[in-house]
Amino acid sequence: MMSQSSFDRLSVALSIVAALLIGAAVIALSGTNPLLAYGEMVEGALTGSGLRNTTARMIPIVGMGLALSIPFRAGVINLGGEGQMVLGGLAGTLCAIYLPGPPALVMAASIVAGAVAGAFWAFLAAAGQIWLKLPILISSLLLAYPARAITSYLVRFPFADPTVTSSSTVPVPDANRIPKLPLFGGVSASLVLLAFFLVAIAIFNQRTVAGYETRMTGLNSRFSRYGGVGVDRQVVWVMLASGAIAGVIGTHLVVGETYRFLDGDLVASGFAWTGLLVTLLASHRPLPLLAAGAFFSALQIGGLAMQRNVNVPWQIALVVQAVVIVVLAGRFVLSRRQRAQPEEIPMAEGELTVTGEV
Amino acid sequence: MSNALELRGISKSFPGVRANDNVDLEVRRGDIHAIVGENGAGKTTLMSILYGLTAPDSGEIVVDGRTVRFNSALDAIAAGLGMVHQAFKLFPTLTVAENVVFRNEPRTGIFLDRAEAAKRVRALGSEYGLMVDPGARIEDLPVGVLQRVEILKALYRDAQVLILDEPTAVLTPQERDNLFVTLRRLKDRGRTVIFITHKLGEVMAVSDRVTVLRGGRAVAHLDTASTSPTEVSRLMTGRNVDLDSRPPPSLLGEAVLSVTDLTVRDDDGLVRVDAVSLEVRSGEILGVAAVAGNGQHELIEAICGLRPADRGSIVVGGREVAAADMAVTRESGLAYIPEDRHRVGTAAGGEVWANLVMGFQRRKRFRRGRFMRRAEVEEHARRIIADYDVRVAGPAVTAATLSGGNLQKLVVGREMSHAAPLLVAEEPTRGVDVGAIEFLHRQLVEYRSQGGGILLLSAELWELLALSSRVVVMYEGRIVAELDPAETDEAELGFFMTGGSR
Ligand SMILES: Nc1ncnc2c1ncn2[C@@H]1O[C@H](COP(=O)(O)OP(=O)(O)OP(=O)(O)O)[C@@H](O)[C@H]1O
Ligand SMILES: [Mg+2]
C-alpha cells in the first residue's frame, strides 16, 4: 500500500512532467525544437549568472510564501501580503536612506522598520475581523489598496528624487545596502534571513505549543476554542508574524536589490501572489514550500533565457507554471474527494451538519 | 424466500486493522435486517463496501442473484440500493422537493416542474408515513426531518434495499417511533431494510434477523424471534453486560457549579434559557432532562464559556465565569464532553495524540517552556487509548479513520482525564456499544465518588435515571421540576418534559 506522502510526491512529479509536455507541444507549435528550448531554459536557470538570478528570485517568492503560510496554516486567509510587503518595503527603504549612524545598525534598523510596518498593516486586517466582524480574507485584501496609494503618494511627493523623471526615492547610500554574499557570483545576504525564517517556522510548526494550537485552529477552530485556545489572540499573532516577514521581504527587495523604491515596482513583481501559490501547493509546510519556490523561480528565470536565446516567448514558462498549478490543484480536489468518502463514513454517527453536495 | 442481496467473503484491511474479515451476509427480501457489533467491529466499513464507497480487498457482492461490482455509490444506486448517512448530503438552500428529485427531475421543457415534484414527494411521503412539507427549505429543518428527506430521496430513486447507519442515534423517542413505522411500511411493500444500531431494544422491536459482527468477523446470524438481548450482547462482547445496577450514594461536598438566575439567548436573539438557577455539588451527578430544543444545550454552552450569558451568574470553582471563555472555565476546573464530537469535540484531520492533548497542552507536564514535550504527549495519548479501550493502531493515526464509537470514547477519555472538579457531560454515551456504555457508566459513577461533580445531559431517560443523584427537567428554557431518580420513572419525566405540571 502506498503511503499518502509518496503518493503526493509521485503525483507532484507526474503533474510537472505533464506540464512540461504541454509546454513542449506549445513550443513545437511555434516552430522551435522543444528539446532545444528546454535545454536553454535549464542552462539559463541553473548555470552562470542564471543560478544567481534564480536564487535571487527565490528570496521574495519563498519569503512571501513563508509569510503567508503562517496564517494560512491557522485557517486565517491573509490576502493582503502585497500591501504589507509594499508598506514594509517603503518603511525599510526610508530608514536605510535617511537614518544616520553606523551602516550595520542602520541596516538592522531598516529591516526592523520594514517588519514593524508590515506587521502594523497586517494587524489592521486582524483588528477588522475581530472588532468589525469583517473577514480577514476581505479586510486584508482591501487594505492592499490604501497601502499602494500611501506609498505612491510618499514616493511621488515628500520623498521623491527630484533628479529623475520616474517617481522614486533617492537611492539607498552604498554603505547602507544589504551586502552580497560571495555565492553564485553575488546573492543578497537576505538569503541568510530567509534561511532563518524557514528554520524558525519549521521549528515553530513542529515543536512548539503555539504551533500545535495554530494547526488545530486551522483544522477546526471550534475545536480549538473548545480546548481553551484564545483563537482571537492567535489571529492577531499569526497576522503580525505574517506581516512582519512580508515587510522584511519588501525591505530586501529595495535595500538588497534595486536600491530605489520605485512606485509600483514591488506590486508589478507579483511576488506576493506567486508566494500565495507556492504556499498553497506546499500545504503550508516550509520545506516543500522551499522546493516549490525554487522550481517556480528557475522556471521564470529559465523562461527569460529561452526567450533571449531561441526566441521563444518567455510566456511559455508561465504556461508551464500555470499548467503545473492547474494539474496540482486538480490533484488536490481529486485526492480530497477520494479521502472525503472514508472520512464521511465515521461521520455517519451523531453528526448533525447539513453538508451541501457539489 | 429469496435473498435481496448477499455478501460473500468480504475482507478489508486498513493499515494496522482488519476491519472486515471474510464476512458473509445474506439479507432476505422484505426483511428488516439489523447489524450489531462493538465499536470498531466493522459495521460501517461493511456498509460502505456494500454501497460502493469503499473497495473491498476481496469478496463479492450479489444483488438479486447477480454478482455485481460497484465502483461508486452511483453504481449501487443503479442496482437498487439506497443509503442514509447521518452526515446528510443535502443542499441546505434548496427545498425538500428539489433535494429529493435531484438528478431525476420531472421537467416541463428544460425547466424543473415544481408542482409535479412536490406532488410526487407528497405522494411518496404519505405512502410511507414520511410527512414533510415539500416546499420547506432544508436549512430550516430539524435533524429528524432531514433524515426523512434522505429516506425519501432514496425511495424516489426506487431503492429496493435501504441501508441506515445508526439512524436513531440523533432522534428523539417520538421520531424514532415514527421511523420504525416507516420501516415496517417499507417491509410491507416488499422492500428490504438494513440498519445498524447499538440499542438492542430497537433490534428486538423492529428487526426480523440480526447479524453480529465482532472484530471484523460475522460471528452470528440470528432470527430475532428466537434470540434475546442478553444473547446478542454476549455474542457482541463475549461477556454479560449489566446496565441496571444503581450507583451507591456518595458523600456530598461543596458546590462546584452554581448557576443563578441565568438567561441566555440563541444566535437569533431568542431567549432560550430563562432565569435558571441550579447547583452541582462535589460527589453528585445532576441530571438534566429535556426534549431537544428546550434550552438545555444553550445552558451548557453558557456554563462552559462558549456562549455569552445575557444575565445572571455562573460560578465554577469559586470563580465568576458568566463572561469568560473556555480557556478560563477550563482553568477554573471544568471539563466538557460535547454533544457533537465532530464539529466541536475533535479535529478530524489531526492525529489521535493531537486530539488527546487538547486542553492539556499548556500544562507544565506537557511542555518545556514554549516547546511541547512530545514523549509526554504520546505517553498521555497511549494511556487514554488503553484506559478507555479506544480501538486504534496508535497515537499517530489520523482521528478521521476512527469508528464513530471509538471517537466518542476518545473524547470522553480525554475530558475525564482532566479530573476537573466539574464535568459537564452531554450525551456521553452517544454511539458507543453496550459494553462501552457499561464501562463509561462505571467511570462516571467512580468520578463522582472520587469527589467530582457531574452535570449530565442525556436524551436516554433510563441513563439519566440510572446515573443521577437528582434530575431536573427543563421545559421552554425553565426548570419545571426536580425529581429523585429513586422515586420517579420515565413516564413521569416525560410528563414534565412535555410541559405537564402538577
Ligand atoms: N479509512 C480508514 N483508515 C484506517 N482505518 C479505518 C478506516 N476506516 C475504518 N477504519 C478502522 O476500521 C475499523 C472498523 O471501523 P468501522 O467504522 O467499520 O466500525 P463500526 O463497526 O462502524 O464502529 P462504530 O460502532 O464505532 O461506528 C476501526 O478500527 C476503524 O478505526
Ligand atoms: Mg460505525
Short mmCIF file of all heavy atoms in Angstrom, two decimals, chain A residues 342 349, chain B residues 14-15 17 19 38-45 166 198 391 401-406 431, ligand 1:
data_model
loop_
_atom_site.label_atom_id
_atom_site.label_comp_id
_atom_site.label_asym_id
_atom_site.label_seq_id
_atom_site.Cartn_x
_atom_site.Cartn_y
_atom_site.Cartn_z
N PRO A 342 -14.11 7.92 2.78
CA PRO A 342 -13.91 7.23 4.05
C PRO A 342 -14.06 8.17 5.24
O PRO A 342 -14.49 7.76 6.28
CB PRO A 342 -12.49 6.68 3.96
CG PRO A 342 -11.91 7.24 2.73
CD PRO A 342 -13.00 7.75 1.88
N GLU A 349 -22.27 8.60 12.32
CA GLU A 349 -22.99 8.56 13.58
C GLU A 349 -22.93 9.88 14.31
O GLU A 349 -21.88 10.42 14.56
CB GLU A 349 -22.39 7.47 14.49
CG GLU A 349 -22.38 6.12 13.90
CD GLU A 349 -21.08 5.82 13.18
OE1 GLU A 349 -20.27 6.76 13.03
OE2 GLU A 349 -20.88 4.68 12.77
N PHE B 14 -7.24 -1.98 6.73
CA PHE B 14 -6.61 -0.66 6.72
C PHE B 14 -5.28 -0.85 7.42
O PHE B 14 -5.10 -1.83 8.13
CB PHE B 14 -7.47 0.35 7.47
CG PHE B 14 -8.79 0.62 6.82
CD1 PHE B 14 -9.97 0.15 7.38
CD2 PHE B 14 -8.86 1.32 5.63
CE1 PHE B 14 -11.20 0.39 6.78
CE2 PHE B 14 -10.08 1.56 5.02
CZ PHE B 14 -11.24 1.09 5.59
N PRO B 15 -4.34 0.10 7.25
CA PRO B 15 -3.04 -0.08 7.90
C PRO B 15 -3.24 -0.41 9.38
O PRO B 15 -3.82 0.36 10.12
CB PRO B 15 -2.37 1.28 7.72
CG PRO B 15 -3.05 1.88 6.53
CD PRO B 15 -4.43 1.33 6.48
N VAL B 17 -5.25 -2.51 10.83
CA VAL B 17 -6.55 -3.04 11.26
C VAL B 17 -7.15 -3.92 10.18
O VAL B 17 -7.10 -3.59 9.00
CB VAL B 17 -7.62 -1.93 11.45
CG1 VAL B 17 -8.58 -2.31 12.54
CG2 VAL B 17 -7.01 -0.57 11.61
N ALA B 19 -10.54 -4.55 9.21
CA ALA B 19 -11.87 -4.02 9.53
C ALA B 19 -12.96 -5.04 9.22
O ALA B 19 -13.94 -5.16 9.94
CB ALA B 19 -12.12 -2.72 8.77
N GLU B 38 -19.63 -4.38 18.43
CA GLU B 38 -18.94 -3.37 19.24
C GLU B 38 -18.41 -2.26 18.36
O GLU B 38 -18.33 -2.39 17.14
CB GLU B 38 -17.76 -4.03 19.96
CG GLU B 38 -18.15 -4.98 21.05
CD GLU B 38 -16.93 -5.43 21.83
OE1 GLU B 38 -16.02 -6.01 21.21
OE2 GLU B 38 -16.89 -5.20 23.06
N ASN B 39 -17.99 -1.17 18.99
CA ASN B 39 -17.37 -0.08 18.25
C ASN B 39 -16.12 -0.58 17.56
O ASN B 39 -15.27 -1.20 18.21
CB ASN B 39 -17.01 1.07 19.20
CG ASN B 39 -18.24 1.64 19.88
OD1 ASN B 39 -18.30 1.73 21.09
ND2 ASN B 39 -19.23 1.99 19.09
N GLY B 40 -16.03 -0.31 16.27
CA GLY B 40 -14.86 -0.75 15.53
C GLY B 40 -14.97 -2.17 15.02
O GLY B 40 -14.01 -2.71 14.47
N ALA B 41 -16.16 -2.79 15.17
CA ALA B 41 -16.32 -4.17 14.70
C ALA B 41 -16.34 -4.25 13.18
O ALA B 41 -16.17 -5.33 12.61
CB ALA B 41 -17.60 -4.77 15.28
N GLY B 42 -16.58 -3.12 12.53
CA GLY B 42 -16.54 -3.11 11.07
C GLY B 42 -17.88 -2.94 10.39
O GLY B 42 -18.01 -3.17 9.19
N LYS B 43 -18.88 -2.49 11.12
CA LYS B 43 -20.22 -2.34 10.57
C LYS B 43 -20.27 -1.27 9.47
O LYS B 43 -20.75 -1.52 8.37
CB LYS B 43 -21.22 -1.95 11.69
CG LYS B 43 -21.21 -2.90 12.87
CD LYS B 43 -22.15 -2.44 13.96
CE LYS B 43 -21.74 -1.15 14.65
NZ LYS B 43 -20.49 -1.24 15.41
N THR B 44 -19.75 -0.10 9.81
CA THR B 44 -19.80 0.99 8.84
C THR B 44 -18.95 0.65 7.62
O THR B 44 -19.34 0.92 6.48
CB THR B 44 -19.30 2.29 9.50
OG1 THR B 44 -20.19 2.61 10.57
CG2 THR B 44 -19.28 3.44 8.51
N THR B 45 -17.81 0.05 7.85
CA THR B 45 -16.95 -0.34 6.73
C THR B 45 -17.69 -1.30 5.80
O THR B 45 -17.68 -1.14 4.57
CB THR B 45 -15.67 -1.01 7.25
OG1 THR B 45 -15.03 -0.13 8.17
CG2 THR B 45 -14.72 -1.33 6.12
N GLU B 166 -26.81 3.73 11.97
CA GLU B 166 -27.19 4.32 13.26
C GLU B 166 -28.21 5.45 13.10
O GLU B 166 -27.98 6.58 13.54
CB GLU B 166 -25.95 4.81 14.02
CG GLU B 166 -25.06 3.64 14.42
CD GLU B 166 -24.02 4.03 15.47
OE1 GLU B 166 -24.35 4.81 16.36
OE2 GLU B 166 -22.90 3.52 15.37
N HIS B 198 -26.84 0.40 18.09
CA HIS B 198 -26.23 -0.12 19.32
C HIS B 198 -27.29 -0.42 20.36
O HIS B 198 -26.99 -0.88 21.44
CB HIS B 198 -25.24 0.89 19.89
CG HIS B 198 -23.98 0.98 19.10
ND1 HIS B 198 -23.12 -0.07 18.97
CD2 HIS B 198 -23.45 1.98 18.36
CE1 HIS B 198 -22.10 0.28 18.21
NE2 HIS B 198 -22.29 1.52 17.81
N ARG B 391 -10.20 1.72 20.09
CA ARG B 391 -9.60 0.78 19.13
C ARG B 391 -8.92 1.55 18.01
O ARG B 391 -9.59 2.04 17.10
CB ARG B 391 -10.68 -0.14 18.54
CG ARG B 391 -11.54 -0.84 19.56
CD ARG B 391 -10.89 -2.14 20.05
NE ARG B 391 -11.57 -2.61 21.25
CZ ARG B 391 -12.60 -3.45 21.26
NH1 ARG B 391 -13.07 -3.93 20.13
NH2 ARG B 391 -13.16 -3.82 22.39
N THR B 401 -10.06 8.40 10.83
CA THR B 401 -10.26 6.99 10.50
C THR B 401 -10.87 6.20 11.65
O THR B 401 -11.18 5.03 11.50
CB THR B 401 -8.92 6.31 10.12
OG1 THR B 401 -8.09 6.26 11.27
CG2 THR B 401 -8.22 7.07 9.03
N LEU B 402 -11.05 6.83 12.80
CA LEU B 402 -11.65 6.10 13.92
C LEU B 402 -13.13 5.85 13.65
O LEU B 402 -13.82 6.67 13.05
CB LEU B 402 -11.51 6.91 15.22
CG LEU B 402 -10.33 6.52 16.10
CD1 LEU B 402 -9.04 6.83 15.39
CD2 LEU B 402 -10.40 7.23 17.43
N SER B 403 -13.63 4.72 14.15
CA SER B 403 -15.06 4.48 14.03
C SER B 403 -15.79 5.43 14.98
O SER B 403 -15.20 5.97 15.90
CB SER B 403 -15.38 3.03 14.38
OG SER B 403 -15.43 2.86 15.77
N GLY B 404 -17.09 5.64 14.70
CA GLY B 404 -17.87 6.62 15.46
C GLY B 404 -17.75 6.43 16.96
O GLY B 404 -17.48 7.39 17.70
N GLY B 405 -17.95 5.21 17.42
CA GLY B 405 -17.94 4.97 18.85
C GLY B 405 -16.55 5.13 19.45
O GLY B 405 -16.39 5.58 20.59
N ASN B 406 -15.53 4.78 18.69
CA ASN B 406 -14.17 4.94 19.20
C ASN B 406 -13.79 6.41 19.32
O ASN B 406 -13.09 6.80 20.25
CB ASN B 406 -13.18 4.17 18.33
CG ASN B 406 -13.19 2.69 18.68
OD1 ASN B 406 -12.98 2.34 19.83
ND2 ASN B 406 -13.51 1.86 17.71
N GLY B 431 -23.55 6.70 20.54
CA GLY B 431 -22.81 5.96 19.51
C GLY B 431 -21.86 4.90 20.04
O GLY B 431 -21.17 4.27 19.26
N1 LIG C 1 -10.19 4.89 6.30
C1 LIG C 1 -9.75 4.16 7.32
N2 LIG C 1 -8.43 4.07 7.58
C2 LIG C 1 -7.96 3.34 8.61
N3 LIG C 1 -8.73 2.64 9.45
C3 LIG C 1 -10.05 2.67 9.25
C4 LIG C 1 -10.62 3.43 8.19
N4 LIG C 1 -11.98 3.28 8.24
C5 LIG C 1 -12.21 2.45 9.28
N5 LIG C 1 -11.06 2.08 9.89
C6 LIG C 1 -10.93 1.17 11.03
O1 LIG C 1 -11.67 0.01 10.78
C7 LIG C 1 -12.31 -0.47 11.94
C8 LIG C 1 -13.80 -0.64 11.70
O2 LIG C 1 -14.39 0.64 11.59
P1 LIG C 1 -15.95 0.86 11.38
O3 LIG C 1 -16.15 2.31 11.21
O4 LIG C 1 -16.43 -0.05 10.31
O5 LIG C 1 -16.55 0.37 12.78
P2 LIG C 1 -18.05 0.32 13.27
O6 LIG C 1 -18.39 -1.11 13.47
O7 LIG C 1 -18.92 1.11 12.36
O8 LIG C 1 -17.92 1.02 14.70
P3 LIG C 1 -18.87 2.08 15.45
O9 LIG C 1 -19.91 1.28 16.14
O10 LIG C 1 -17.95 2.71 16.46
O11 LIG C 1 -19.39 3.03 14.46
C9 LIG C 1 -11.97 0.54 13.03
O12 LIG C 1 -10.90 0.03 13.79
C10 LIG C 1 -11.52 1.77 12.29
O13 LIG C 1 -10.58 2.50 13.02
#
